[in-house]
Amino acid sequence: MSSHIPLPKEKHNKSKLFVTRSHLLSKKHEHSKLIQTHPFNHQISIISQSTTVRETLAKYIGPYYNVTLKLSDFIDPAFISNYIKRNTLIALSSNRYIDADDVFAIDGQKLILSVGKDTYETLGLVGKSAQFPVERGSRFVVEIDLLDCMDPAKKYYQRVHNRLNAVLNEPVEFLVGYFDKNTGTPVTFDIPGATIVTPQVDTRSVPNMLVPNVPECLISTNEQTDTWTEHAHELFEWIGLAASCSQAVAGTSDEQTSAYTVPEPTSKDMHVVTARGLLSATAIHSVINELVAAHTEFYVCVWGFDDAPVSWNSSEHNFYVSGENMYAQAYVPHKNCCLSFQACGPWDAFS
């Protein structure tokens, strides 16, 4: 069951935070769906006492590609047959800003074009007015089902191909990840000109980290009392600070100058493993499944790309004062519980 932590009600200028308490053995798998429906991830940090997390990450997190392609290359029937239909392909135009530029992405079997008014009116493909920015009609979103582009003899393929070549025919630099559809492990993307990029992985050990005890009220109920809301905010804040190895949780800050205090802490030797790159949602899910099977408490923090056109469940995403779309999770296996936090900026349609 999801719970929306109360925040100010102004629709377009306030960030949102959602909290979900899920049972690890539940058939609903809320914690898994949260991971698997967030396609564009650029960083993950895992906080735990385990010394084998890096090895687990290495089993699933691997190379992706930097490649320059035309949009019409993605609708080539051979490309669709060789890549789109066989495994999972994620692509995001790089060095482009979602609130200022034309941005392009592939989420599995869907090509997403988030474009300005001038491009949209010239393009001539049917889309919808973007929800953000607030001024209606200044930005548009066009979605193309790539599986509908398999047959060059069909009028739909011919129209899409012709309009992309006529209007959006310049080569575009992309980050491309090609992943096994079941495990999320990297699969070879054999396209001429593609440059392999290896994710950055680092491990930081923090002796005597101040770790809060997960409050029982968060594990046992969704009733949003003031105390429940306060505890939820505190746990979410701690996960973010721990992921960055902040002195405030490392036990090295000056209590007289630090404005933050860990609630009911226990001192533990912790390890923070961080990977940065274009990360498969399925790979993240595979890593977490292995950690859950080890029956130890751990915490996860995952950041999405600020300039991705979608966040969870293909919800429209844009940039206001921030392009925030990230989530954190606290796994408490001995209680069969996962607490998930989804944070998104004001210009994100997820709700």
Side-chain angles (χ1 to χ4, degrees):
M1 179 176 179
S2 297
S3 301
H4 185 191
I5 290 182
L7 289 172
K9 297 181 180 179
E10 291 84 346
K11 180 179 179 182
H12 293 297
N13 61 3
K14 297 295 180 182
S15 296
K16 296 169 284 187
L17 178 63
F18 300 89
V19 184
T20 305
R21 176 178 60 86
S22 55
H23 196 284
L24 294 178
L25 302 181
S26 169
K27 293 182 179 180
K28 294 182 178 180
H29 303 296
E30 292 101 328
H31 57 287
S32 296
K33 291 177 182 177
L34 180 154
I35 299 167
Q36 294 175 313
T37 58
H38 191 260
F40 297 104
N41 308 287
H42 76 84
Q43 181 173 321
I44 179 173
S45 290
I46 300 174
I47 306 118
S48 75
Q49 291 185 283
S50 172
T51 59
T52 62
V53 171
R54 185 174 183 130
E55 287 73 16
T56 304
L57 268 177
K59 289 171 59 176
Y60 299 101
I61 303 295
Y64 57 102
Y65 299 86
N66 195 326
V67 62
T68 299
L69 295 168
K70 292 184 177 182
L71 290 178
S72 58
D73 292 333
F74 290 118
I75 67 166
D76 182 272
F79 184 92
I80 295 172
S81 178
N82 291 334
Y83 297 106
I84 302 299
K85 292 188 69 176
R86 292 186 179 181
N87 283 293
T88 300
L89 188 139
I90 299 294
L92 179 63
S93 53
S94 54
N95 302 314
R96 290 175 178 244
Y97 300 101
I98 191 68
D99 56 348
D101 302 318
D102 294 338
V103 171
F104 315 113
I106 291 181
D107 175 9
Q109 298 176 352
K110 182 166 55 181
L111 174 61
I112 305 166
L113 316 176
S114 177
V115 299
K117 179 180 179 181
D118 291 345
T119 299
Y120 180 72
E121 291 180 344
T122 308
L123 184 60
L125 295 176
V126 177
K128 62 182 180 181
S129 180
Q131 297 186 48
F132 312 104
V134 180
E135 296 80 11
R136 303 290 288 181
S138 61
R139 192 167 191 86
F140 292 82
V141 178
V142 178
E143 296 184 352
I144 298 169
D145 187 334
L146 293 173
L147 295 188
D148 287 341
C149 294
M150 290 289 292
D151 187 356
K154 289 186 176 180
K155 290 183 179 180
Y156 178 74
Y157 170 87
Q158 294 171 5
R159 176 159 182 79
V160 171
H161 184 269
N162 290 340
R163 298 316 301 160
L164 290 180
N165 274 336
V167 180
L168 295 172
N169 61 346
E170 294 295 324
V172 178
E173 186 177 348
F174 283 93
L175 299 178
V176 175
Y178 190 48
F179 308 112
D180 182 273
K181 60 185 178 181
N182 296 313
T183 65
T185 53
V187 179
T188 300
F189 183 64
D190 190 18
I191 292 293
T195 302
I196 297 176
V197 184
T198 302
Q200 298 176 334
V201 181
D202 63 74
T203 303
R204 290 169 289 179
S205 298
V206 185
N208 301 315
M209 178 182 281
L210 301 177
V211 181
N213 294 314
V214 178
E216 183 62 31
C217 70
L218 293 181
I219 295 175
S220 61
T221 182
N222 281 325
E223 184 180 354
Q224 288 188 49
T225 63
D226 290 344
T227 299
W228 186 96
T229 300
E230 180 181 359
H231 284 322
H233 273 291
E234 287 175 343
L235 181 57
F236 176 64
E237 183 177 15
W238 180 86
I239 295 173
L241 290 170
S244 63
C245 294
S246 168
Q247 289 186 349
V249 301
T252 58
S253 64
D254 186 340
E255 294 183 1
Q256 294 182 346
T257 59
S258 176
Y260 177 81
T261 302
V262 179
E264 301 182 15
T266 300
S267 180
K268 298 180 180 179
D269 294 338
M270 303 293 280
H271 306 280
V272 181
V273 182
T274 299
R276 300 175 181 86
L278 180 58
L279 310 178
S280 159
T282 304
I284 292 173
H285 185 244
S286 295
V287 170
I288 288 175
N289 278 345
E290 285 209 15
L291 298 179
V292 169
H295 300 290
T296 58
E297 287 191 17
F298 65 96
Y299 308 86
V300 179
C301 202
V302 177
W303 289 264
F305 284 88
D306 287 351
D307 293 295
V310 296
S311 60
W312 289 276
N313 297 313
S314 299
S315 299
E316 185 186 324
H317 177 76
N318 207 299
F319 196 102
Y320 182 55
V321 292
S322 78
E324 182 180 25
N325 64 116
M326 59 84 64
Y327 63 89
Q329 294 180 310
Y331 285 86
V332 191
H334 69 280
K335 296 281 189 176
N336 282 318
C337 179
C338 175
L339 293 164
S340 299
F341 303 83
Q342 292 165 273
C344 48
W347 283 6
D348 190 298
F350 176 76
S351 62

